[in-house]
Amino acid sequence: MKKEIFTDKHYTHFDVKKHHKDYEQRVKNINWVGKHGFYPFIHFQMGMDKYTNDNAGNKYIKHKDREIYYAGHIDRFIYQYYGNRLNDKYNVYAKQNGINKASTAYRNSTRGKCNIDFAKEVFEFIVNSNSAYILVGDFSKFFDKLDHKYLKEQLKRINDSQSLDVADYAIYKNLIHFSYIEADDIETEKGMYRREMSELDKYFDTKEFHDFKSKHLKKHTENYGIPQGSSISAVYANVYMIEFDQKINDYVTSVGGMYRRYCDDIVIVLPMNEDDKQIKKYEAISKIIFEIKDTVPNLDLNPDKTEQFFFMDSNIEKLYGESNLINYLGFTFDGKKVRIRDKSLFKFYCRAYKKIRKVKELSDEKSFIAGKKAIYRSYTHLGNSRYSKGHGNFLTYAYKAHDIFDESNCLESNIRNQVKRHWRKIDSKLKE
């Protein structure tokens, strides 16, 4: 196993912050993990404002909450190590059963590639098909609905075993019957926000924690659903979908098409001519896909959120849905041009303007200057990793996406044009 499996993170939790080297040997011991007592997850909701359109084409903001759970430090090391181990087994299974290319998210065998590369592959396949039927959809509340019994059977299939070893079973049992504590309850108890407690070694001493836990511990008691946030949960999601992926991929590739799934987002591209479209052959295809979906417990591919298109002569025609643009993995495609989704840009500028308002409220001149510099680093090209040290910002991502799509011989990237006025917008807001 490679060292980069383990990462040290310095957030505050119920156990003290730890260095992975002190626990690596224990974590790799399946018998030790089998007896390990897991800490409760800490739960919070991550709010997201989505920029979308109604049926009349009017733009509006739709709020969505994502349930996030994060683990204690030793627990995280366990999830990382055994998630990577399960990922290796999944990769072997995927290659042997013809779905290695179909599943693209959370793989440790696709390093160097990201959602940009996967979207580019799909858009190029559409163009090179000359004319095609496209179905794009996602599964509603995917992690929240995974059936526990079915998940266990797929885990045994991946392990090529009648049972799970003691470590895999302990992890599985902890994830299906997970316990958690609300982040809000911690803040109320301590009288501080979590960001104000980031330097604490842990939230409570042993006695305080037991008293606090007795009042605030919550348990997941349903026979479906796993917490979203742990590194192994993502691998579980891929394992859960192996039968669906095989059936869909076998059907789609048998007629010369492409099937890709990125976690709960799927796209299917099938060559189809104008005559096939006129006789609505796509309705029979859609029916087959939904019938396969129904063979897997708790998969909810909402027909109202499933869009279908016809591509021909560099044009995208809407067959079913609200838009004439294909939305996939954060990008839109109109048959020629690729763009970052408008709602991603909307979110970027909303965050920037919110930070600017806070900076302008600062009365201290020194703090104001420091705040301005932070804004420029976070929301302009000055924070692009090409020009500064660090991981970069949204514009780093946008420039990278443009460069990757621009390498294509059949796609046209319009991403640079989307962000070229960012400096004027940010700078003018700061100077208002």
Side-chain angles (χ1 to χ4, degrees):
M1 292 287 182
K2 296 181 180 179
K3 277 189 177 180
E4 60 262 32
I5 292 170
F6 298 101
T7 55
D8 294 315
K9 296 184 179 180
H10 304 290
Y11 57 84
T12 307
H13 211 278
F14 300 128
D15 60 342
V16 298
K17 300 168 185 177
K18 296 175 175 67
H19 194 282
H20 73 269
K21 288 183 179 178
D22 298 330
Y23 288 86
E24 194 166 325
Q25 292 308 311
R26 275 177 276 188
V27 166
K28 292 179 179 179
N29 183 331
I30 64 170
N31 293 314
W32 183 85
V33 173
K35 298 175 182 177
H36 174 70
F38 290 85
Y39 277 97
F41 287 92
I42 295 177
H43 169 253
F44 67 97
Q45 288 185 326
M46 181 181 291
M48 300 187 305
D49 289 330
K50 299 179 68 175
Y51 194 45
T52 188
N53 298 328
D54 60 20
N55 292 329
N58 301 311
K59 295 179 180 179
Y60 69 99
I61 300 172
K62 180 179 179 182
H63 185 78
K64 179 180 179 181
D65 288 321
R66 176 172 292 177
E67 309 296 330
I68 301 295
Y69 301 82
Y70 64 100
H73 296 281
I74 295 180
D75 299 349
R76 180 171 52 82
F77 292 151
I78 291 171
Y79 295 142
Q80 286 177 335
Y81 179 78
Y82 289 92
N84 192 73
R85 188 179 77 156
L86 182 62
N87 219 329
D88 288 338
K89 295 176 182 179
Y90 173 81
N91 290 336
V92 172
Y93 183 94
K95 288 178 181 178
Q96 292 175 343
N97 292 274
I99 58 172
N100 192 46
K101 291 183 178 180
S103 170
T104 56
Y106 312 129
R107 303 286 299 278
N108 59 7
S109 60
T110 57
R111 291 180 180 176
K113 290 190 174 183
C114 64
N115 65 305
I116 305 169
D117 302 281
F118 302 135
K120 176 173 176 276
E121 179 192 28
V122 170
F123 297 155
E124 286 184 330
F125 188 88
I126 292 171
V127 173
N128 291 327
S129 297
N130 295 320
S131 60
Y133 161 78
I134 304 106
L135 180 145
V136 180
D138 66 81
F139 298 105
S140 303
K141 297 184 177 179
F142 184 51
F143 287 90
D144 297 337
K145 294 183 177 181
L146 300 188
D147 181 87
H148 295 163
K149 185 177 179 181
Y150 183 82
L151 171 61
K152 187 178 181 181
E153 292 306 309
Q154 305 316 304
L155 287 169
K156 290 192 290 186
R157 182 187 293 191
I158 291 293
N159 281 280
D160 193 23
S161 174
Q162 294 300 310
S163 61
L164 304 178
D165 69 29
V166 291
D168 283 336
Y169 182 69
I171 294 166
Y172 162 78
K173 189 169 63 174
N174 183 64
L175 285 180
I176 65 169
H177 298 308
F178 65 95
S179 61
Y180 62 98
I181 287 174
E182 298 290 352
D184 287 347
D185 289 335
I186 298 172
E187 293 179 338
T188 300
E189 182 77 13
K190 302 292 287 188
M192 291 184 286
Y193 291 114
R194 280 176 294 150
R195 63 176 178 270
E196 298 174 306
M197 296 184 277
S198 61
E199 299 303 317
L200 294 179
D201 207 27
K202 59 179 180 177
Y203 285 123
F204 304 100
D205 64 30
T206 303
K207 184 181 184 307
E208 286 175 335
F209 176 62
H210 284 300
D211 292 342
F212 175 78
K213 188 171 70 168
S214 67
K215 293 184 289 185
H216 298 289
L217 185 71
K218 297 181 180 180
K219 294 183 179 180
H220 181 77
T221 58
E222 305 290 351
N223 61 1
Y224 55 85
I226 61 174
Q228 185 172 358
S230 76
S231 54
I232 200 170
S233 296
V235 190
Y236 272 20
N238 278 342
V239 171
Y240 191 88
M241 294 296 288
I242 54 177
E243 194 167 333
F244 177 86
D245 288 343
Q246 282 182 241
K247 290 178 179 179
I248 293 290
N249 194 61
D250 287 349
Y251 166 68
V252 170
T253 56
S254 70
V255 291
M258 169 189 275
Y259 163 65
R260 293 291 184 268
R261 180 182 59 80
Y262 191 95
C263 190
D264 55 353
D265 291 310
I266 66 168
V267 61
I268 293 169
V269 185
L270 290 171
M272 180 181 291
N273 58 38
E274 178 68 25
D275 291 339
D276 289 334
K277 189 198 77 169
Q278 291 300 325
I279 62 172
K280 296 187 176 181
K281 185 178 179 180
Y282 54 86
E283 291 184 350
I285 294 170
S286 176
K287 182 180 178 182
I288 291 171
I289 293 165
F290 276 86
E291 286 174 350
I292 293 174
K293 182 269 298 180
D294 290 339
T295 65
V296 179
N298 295 358
L299 284 187
D300 182 15
L301 187 60
N302 192 332
D304 293 333
K305 292 184 178 180
T306 301
E307 297 186 304
Q308 300 174 56
F309 308 91
F310 181 70
F311 168 82
M312 192 171 69
D313 297 332
S314 299
N315 291 310
I316 299 291
E317 177 187 347
K318 174 181 66 178
L319 297 176
Y320 187 94
E322 297 181 357
S323 174
N324 282 322
L325 296 174
I326 294 175
N327 281 278
Y328 186 60
L329 301 187
F331 301 96
T332 62
F333 180 56
D334 66 1
K336 297 177 183 177
K337 295 180 181 179
V338 179
R339 294 167 54 91
I340 290 177
R341 290 184 304 179
D342 286 343
K343 60 185 176 185
S344 297
L345 288 172
F346 174 79
K347 187 186 299 183
F348 168 70
Y349 284 115
C350 279
R351 287 175 176 171
Y353 296 159
K354 184 177 179 181
K355 290 284 180 68
I356 289 170
R357 286 195 296 271
K358 289 185 177 180
V359 167
K360 292 171 77 172
E361 290 171 359
L362 296 171
S363 56
D364 178 68
E365 181 67 19
K366 186 176 180 181
S367 298
F368 176 71
I369 292 172
K372 280 181 64 176
K373 288 181 179 179
I375 294 293
Y376 285 127
R377 283 195 305 271
S378 298
Y379 298 103
T380 77
H381 65 278
L382 297 180
N384 180 7
S385 58
R386 293 179 179 179
Y387 305 109
S388 65
K389 295 180 181 180
H391 299 291
N393 55 25
F394 176 79
L395 292 166
T396 306
Y397 172 76
Y399 295 157
K400 177 183 178 180
H402 173 83
D403 291 344
I404 290 175
F405 284 115
D406 201 45
E407 291 172 354
S408 176
N409 294 323
C410 59
L411 303 175
E412 181 182 340
S413 174
N414 199 39
I415 295 172
R416 276 275 185 173
N417 286 333
Q418 288 181 278
V419 297
K420 68 180 181 181
R421 294 186 179 87
H422 75 273
W423 176 267
R424 184 185 304 172
K425 292 180 178 180
I426 301 298
D427 190 53
S428 63
K429 282 287 183 181
L430 277 167
K431 291 177 179 177
E432 282 181 356

